[in-house]
Amino acid sequence: MGTQRSKPSCTIVAIFLAFCCFVSSSKAKLESLQHAPKADGSLSFLVVGDWGRKGAYNQSLVAFQMGVIGEKLDVDFVISTGDNFYDNGLTGVYDPSFEESFTKIYTAPSLQKKWYNVLGNHDYRGNAKAQISPVLRYRDNRWVCFRSYTLNSENVDFFFVDTTPFVDKYFIEDKGHNYDWRGILPRKRYISNLLKDVDLALRQSTATWKVVIGHHTIKSIGHHGDTQELLIHFLPLLKANNVDLYINGHDHCLEHISSLDSSVQFLTSGGGSKAWRGDTKQSEGDEMKFYYDGQGFMSVHISQTQLRISFFDVFGNVIHKWNTCKFDSCDM
């Protein structure tokens, strides 16, 4: 269960944070986590993004339907694709927005599982380090967030990637926004090291399925469209390592694009609260399977041989399904 606890003493927190900073700075590779699958080896989870608005813009309605679907599917955990707290992230580890937009919103019993998060650009506008602090895990033990990390669940390897530092405009067009680049600068070295670490982790993976999660789109016809920096620097890495799914948020919609020259399926789940009706671009290059400019979320079920995804709207209706299999041994 997610829990809230009283504020620990400043001394304990200071010691704990100092230790964690030492561990973080002394480790060059990605943090590696484990999450056991069900007894039959399968795994089910929900994906939601761009949500943290204290219940507004139908965030509470999406959360309610997530609870209903989560119970039906017996989900193992939830993935957040970033922009966890609007408009400017958290001010610190004790910002009440953490409870107001997360703990008090996602209250359904089925959602009292681990939440694996990435940071979005709006999260970097606040105190980005607060979201990756162990203090938040103390406040609500569902919360899991690092800049970039891997998660293994036997048949599936997940790779959570910090995409915000790739995007040039955040460094040259501030438009009055302040970004928390602590731990990112010098930027070129950070990106270079991250790409090497993710590539190494992907190449070393022996899992049947490889799923990569980042905040920013690679391919999208939504408001933001394709992220050019990721197309150049990141997509070749995904193709070379036979990644199955790239899951993102950033565009406030639900979307499925299928690569025509690789195994990658591009899935956008950014409908956790405020959506952008009618704001679309022309589709180019790949196969557009589904686009919905409204609020909602998605589910994923993975077994050793099968993968199924479903998109749900704010009323809990299934509005898109897709499945695939491996080893030529599954009955679709």
Side-chain angles (χ1 to χ4, degrees):
M1 290 287 291
T3 58
Q4 299 182 66
R5 306 180 185 178
S6 60
K7 185 184 295 186
S9 71
C10 294
T11 302
I12 294 174
V13 171
I15 295 173
F16 192 30
L17 290 176
F19 171 77
C20 291
C21 288
F22 170 77
V23 171
S24 174
S25 63
S26 64
K27 291 185 67 174
K29 304 305 177 186
L30 302 178
E31 189 80 28
S32 180
L33 308 178
Q34 302 284 327
H35 195 115
K38 295 181 174 68
D40 64 359
S42 69
L43 193 67
S44 295
F45 56 93
L46 303 181
V47 184
V48 66
D50 303 84
W51 42 268
R53 298 182 186 273
K54 301 179 182 179
Y57 294 98
N58 286 341
Q59 182 194 359
S60 294
L61 294 179
V62 174
F64 175 80
Q65 293 298 340
M66 286 175 63
V68 173
I69 301 302
E71 184 174 355
K72 289 180 180 178
L73 301 180
D74 187 22
V75 295
D76 297 282
F77 54 80
V78 180
I79 286 176
S80 167
T81 57
D83 277 3
N84 306 316
F85 302 98
Y86 282 97
D87 277 325
N88 298 307
L90 296 178
T91 59
V93 294
Y94 295 114
D95 188 333
S97 295
F98 182 70
E99 280 87 13
E100 294 165 353
S101 286
F102 177 61
T103 302
K104 295 180 180 178
I105 300 297
Y106 302 101
T107 57
S110 67
L111 304 182
Q112 307 309 304
K113 311 288 177 65
K114 292 298 182 185
W115 280 59
Y116 296 104
N117 303 272
V118 291
L119 298 175
N121 53 298
H122 282 269
D123 300 312
Y124 268 101
R125 290 182 187 176
N127 185 334
K129 281 196 168 185
Q131 291 197 44
I132 61 176
S133 167
V135 175
L136 290 196
R137 295 194 290 278
Y138 184 93
R139 294 178 66 185
D140 190 319
N141 60 23
R142 294 176 292 174
W143 187 262
V144 179
C145 189
F146 302 91
R147 292 193 195 276
S148 298
Y149 58 105
T150 65
L151 176 69
N152 172 260
S153 187
E154 293 188 8
N155 295 318
V156 193
D157 276 341
F158 298 87
F159 307 83
F160 294 80
V161 180
D162 184 19
T163 60
T164 301
F166 284 86
V167 182
D168 292 335
K169 70 178 182 179
Y170 303 138
F171 293 84
I172 59 178
E173 300 176 9
D174 59 24
K175 294 183 179 179
H177 301 303
N178 295 313
Y179 291 87
D180 182 5
W181 297 131
R182 292 176 296 168
I184 303 301
L185 304 177
R187 178 189 175 207
K188 288 184 178 180
R189 182 188 302 172
Y190 179 84
I191 292 174
S192 176
N193 288 339
L194 178 55
L195 288 172
K196 290 176 183 177
D197 289 346
V198 174
D199 184 41
L200 178 61
L202 283 167
R203 285 190 284 111
Q204 290 179 337
S205 172
T206 59
T208 302
W209 305 95
K210 297 179 184 179
V211 179
V212 177
I213 299 96
H215 175 64
H216 289 79
T217 61
I218 293 181
K219 296 291 185 75
S220 174
I221 66 166
H223 172 79
H224 293 295
D226 299 350
T227 303
Q228 294 302 315
E229 296 88 344
L230 295 184
L231 284 173
I232 296 169
H233 300 293
F234 197 46
L235 181 56
L237 185 153
L238 303 189
K239 290 182 176 180
N241 288 285
N242 299 312
V243 166
D244 298 287
L245 306 180
Y246 177 73
I247 304 176
N248 61 271
H250 197 47
D251 271 340
H252 295 189
C253 63
L254 305 175
E255 183 177 26
H256 178 194
I257 297 175
S258 183
S259 173
L260 294 179
D261 62 358
S262 74
S263 60
V264 184
Q265 304 295 317
F266 302 99
L267 305 172
T268 298
S269 184
S273 58
K274 188 176 183 179
W276 298 323
R277 285 288 190 186
D279 192 350
T280 61
K281 294 176 167 44
Q282 192 70 26
S283 176
E284 297 180 3
D286 292 292
E287 182 184 357
M288 170 57 63
K289 289 186 173 295
F290 165 74
Y291 182 83
Y292 176 67
D293 56 352
Q295 296 139 336
F297 58 98
M298 64 177 287
S299 70
V300 182
H301 175 83
I302 305 178
S303 68
Q304 185 173 0
T305 60
Q306 296 188 6
L307 184 150
R308 300 194 304 268
I309 66 169
S310 298
F311 285 89
F312 300 86
D313 66 15
V314 71
F315 305 107
N317 300 313
V318 176
I319 51 178
H320 176 64
K321 285 185 175 182
W322 181 83
N323 51 40
T324 189
C325 62
K326 292 192 176 183
F327 309 127
D328 298 322
S329 61
C330 49
D331 180 10
M332 303 305 291

